[in-house]
C-alpha cells in the first residue's frame, strides 16, 4: 500500500501472515482480507474449470447470485408488518419488460433492489487511477441505478399494481465488490443519477450500494418489528468517510447479527459435514 495506490493490497494477499516469534506463531494481517480471498480463490477455482475464452460461467454466476439475494430477503421478512414482496416479473403489453430483481413495499413506500454480480476490476484494485475508479463506479452503481429507475418509471406508465399509489422510493444496488464511501464518489453518483430520479412520480428518499456481505446484515433489519427505512436514509446521507454499512450499524447501536436463516443453514451444513466425515 502506498500513497498513490491506497487500495493495492497485493502484498498482503501474497503474504497474509505476520510471524511473531521463532515458534512460527502468527497473526493474520486482516481477517476480512482472508475471508475475501477465500471467496475469490473459490470463485476462480470454479471459473478455471471452463476454458479461458468461455464466458458461460460468468453469465451463469449472476443468476444464482440474484436468487440468493431474493431468497435471503424473502426469508428475512417480518410478517408482523404489512410488507409486500416481489421478485422480478414480466410486465407491459407483450410482457417483454422485466421488473427490478427485488421489490419490497410497506404501505406507500417502495424499496427497489437491483442485484449485479459485478466486481471491481483488476486495474481499480491493484493499479487504481481516477479513470479506473470512475469506470467501476459507473458500472457497479450508476448504471444499475439508472436501469432500476427506468424500470420503475415504466411500471408507473403501465399502471402495474405493485407500484400503484407509491409515494416514496428507496433504491439499493447489490454488487460483488466494496467501494469506499467518500464524498467525491458520492457527489459523482449524485450528479449522474438525480436527473433520472426527477422523472419519477414519487420522491426518492435514499439510494445505497451494498456488497453481498453488507446486504446480509441489512436483511437482519428486515427481521425487526419496525420498518428499516430510517436506517437506509441515514446511511445514504449522513455516513462518515470510508464508513461501510457494517460500521454504520455498529456506530448506531443496531444488531450486528446475520439473518436467522443463515444461522439455520450454517447449522444444517455443519450437521451434514459431521454425518459425512465423522
Amino acid at each position: 500500500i502506498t500513497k498513490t495506490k491506497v487500495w493495492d493490497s497485493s502484498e498482503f494477499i501474497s503474504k497474509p501472515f505476520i510471524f511473531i516469534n521463532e515458534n512460527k506463531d502468527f497473526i493474520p494481517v486482516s481477517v476480512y482480507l482472508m475471508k475475501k480471498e477465500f471467496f475469490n480463490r473459490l470463485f476462480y477455482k470454479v471459473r478455471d474449470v471452463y476454458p479461458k475464452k468461455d464466458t458461460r460461467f460468468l453469465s451463469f454466476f449472476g443468476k444464482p447470485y440474484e436468487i440468493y439475494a431474493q431468497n435471503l430477503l424473502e426469508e428475512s421478512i417480518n410478517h408482523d408488518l404489512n410488507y409486500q414482496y416481489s421478485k422480478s416479473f414480466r410486465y407491459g403489453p407483450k410482457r417483454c419488460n422485466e421488473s427490478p430483481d427485488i421489490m419490497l413495499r410497506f404501505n406507500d413506500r417502495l424499496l427497489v433492489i437491483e442485484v449485479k454480480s459485478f466486481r471491481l476490476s483488476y486495474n481499480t484494485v491493484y493499479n487504481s487511477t481516477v479513470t479506473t475508479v470512475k469506470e467501476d463506479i459507473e458500472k457497479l452503481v450508476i448504471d444499475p441505478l439508472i436501469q432500476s429507475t427506468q424500470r420503475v418509471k415504466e411500471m408507473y406508465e403501465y399502471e402495474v399494481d405493485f407500484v400503484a399509489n407509491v409515494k416514496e422510493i428507496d433504491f439499493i444496488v447489490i454488487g460483488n465488490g466494496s467501494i469506499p464511501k467518500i464524498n467525491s464518489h458520492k457527489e459523482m453518483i449524485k450528479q449522474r443519477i438525480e436527473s433520472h430520479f426527477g422523472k419519477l412520480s414519487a420522491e426518492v428518499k435514499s439510494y445505497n450500494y451494498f456488497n453481498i456481505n453488507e446486504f446480509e446484515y441489512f436483511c437482519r433489519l428486515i427481521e425487526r418489528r419496525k420498518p428499516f427505512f430510517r436506517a437506509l436514509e441515514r446511511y445514504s446521507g449522513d455516513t462518515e468517510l470510508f464508513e461501510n454499512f457494517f460500521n454504520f450499524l455498529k456506530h448506531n447501536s443496531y444488531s450486528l447479527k446475520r439473518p436467522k436463516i443463515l444461522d439455520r443453514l450454517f447449522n444444517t451444513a455443519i450437521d451434514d459435514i459431521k454425518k459425512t466425515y465423522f
Side-chain angles (χ1 to χ4, degrees):
I1 293 177
T2 67
K3 289 183 178 180
T4 57
K5 297 182 180 180
V6 295
W7 291 11
D8 187 353
S9 56
S10 55
E11 285 298 317
F12 291 150
I13 292 172
S14 61
K15 299 177 181 179
F17 303 112
I18 299 175
F19 289 98
I20 57 178
N21 56 40
E22 295 180 354
N23 296 326
K24 295 187 177 180
D25 294 328
F26 62 86
I27 58 175
V29 172
S30 168
V31 174
Y32 166 77
L33 183 63
M34 288 184 63
K35 291 180 179 178
K36 179 180 176 182
E37 278 306 299
F38 177 81
F39 175 79
N40 286 339
R41 299 294 173 92
L42 179 61
F43 175 89
Y44 287 110
K45 286 287 186 182
V46 178
R47 171 65 184 90
D48 287 343
V49 172
Y50 294 80
K52 289 185 177 181
K53 294 183 179 180
D54 190 334
T55 61
R56 286 180 298 169
F57 172 70
L58 296 178
S59 300
F60 163 78
F61 180 74
K63 193 59 181 178
Y65 196 82
E66 174 188 326
I67 293 173
Y68 172 72
Q70 291 173 336
N71 291 347
L72 179 60
L73 187 141
E74 185 175 14
E75 290 285 346
S76 302
I77 290 173
N78 187 323
H79 295 288
D80 292 336
L81 298 175
N82 188 30
Y83 286 128
Q84 298 175 12
Y85 166 83
S86 175
K87 55 186 176 182
S88 58
F89 59 86
R90 296 283 180 176
Y91 64 91
K94 297 183 180 180
R95 302 292 177 185
C96 58
N97 302 68
E98 189 169 3
S99 72
D101 297 322
I102 305 171
M103 293 189 294
L104 189 65
R105 179 168 177 171
F106 180 74
N107 297 332
D108 61 358
R109 190 158 182 171
L110 180 68
L111 172 63
V112 177
I113 301 176
E114 198 68 37
V115 184
K116 302 293 185 184
S117 62
F118 299 143
R119 58 184 62 224
L120 293 173
S121 66
Y122 179 89
N123 284 336
T124 293
V125 176
Y126 299 117
N127 192 28
S128 61
T129 65
V130 172
T131 300
T132 59
V133 172
K134 283 185 175 181
E135 288 174 349
D136 269 7
I137 291 177
E138 190 86 22
K139 181 179 73 172
L140 269 68
V141 184
I142 295 173
D143 287 348
L145 280 173
I146 293 174
Q147 173 186 324
S148 54
T149 301
Q150 180 60 31
R151 287 176 175 176
V152 172
K153 180 176 178 292
E154 289 176 350
M155 292 170 70
Y156 275 119
E157 293 170 351
Y158 288 122
E159 298 181 344
V160 176
D161 288 341
F162 199 87
V163 300
N165 300 314
V166 165
K167 297 178 181 178
E168 297 175 328
I169 302 179
D170 301 84
F171 288 97
I172 294 176
V173 175
I174 302 172
N176 200 13
S178 298
I179 299 175
K181 195 164 185 179
I182 60 178
N183 283 340
S184 60
H185 296 167
K186 291 172 67 174
E187 187 61 29
M188 172 189 169
I189 296 169
K190 179 180 178 181
Q191 290 177 358
R192 290 282 285 106
I193 64 173
E194 291 212 333
S195 61
H196 294 273
F197 289 160
K199 299 176 183 178
L200 296 172
S201 56
E203 180 184 2
V204 176
K205 302 295 290 186
S206 69
Y207 50 93
N208 290 290
Y209 172 88
F210 292 157
N211 63 37
I212 195 65
N213 184 56
E214 292 172 313
F215 179 68
E216 290 171 352
Y217 285 105
F218 167 73
C219 285
R220 179 69 176 186
L221 297 182
I222 299 176
E223 296 179 344
R224 301 191 310 162
R225 294 183 178 179
K226 57 182 180 179
F228 52 83
F229 296 104
R230 178 173 173 78
L232 287 182
E233 286 189 56
R234 292 181 63 188
Y235 184 62
S236 178
D238 301 331
T239 47
E240 299 174 358
L241 296 183
F242 293 100
E243 184 169 45
N244 60 34
F245 190 62
F246 178 85
N247 289 336
F248 167 80
L249 294 175
K250 180 179 180 181
H251 295 160
N252 289 276
S253 302
Y254 288 100
S255 171
L256 295 179
K257 297 179 180 178
R258 294 183 185 273
K260 295 175 182 177
I261 180 61
L262 293 185
D263 289 337
R264 294 198 296 270
L265 291 173
F266 175 79
N267 291 331
T268 299
I270 292 298
D271 289 340
D272 289 344
I273 291 172
K274 288 179 178 177
K275 291 176 184 178
T276 302
Y277 293 102
F278 302 104

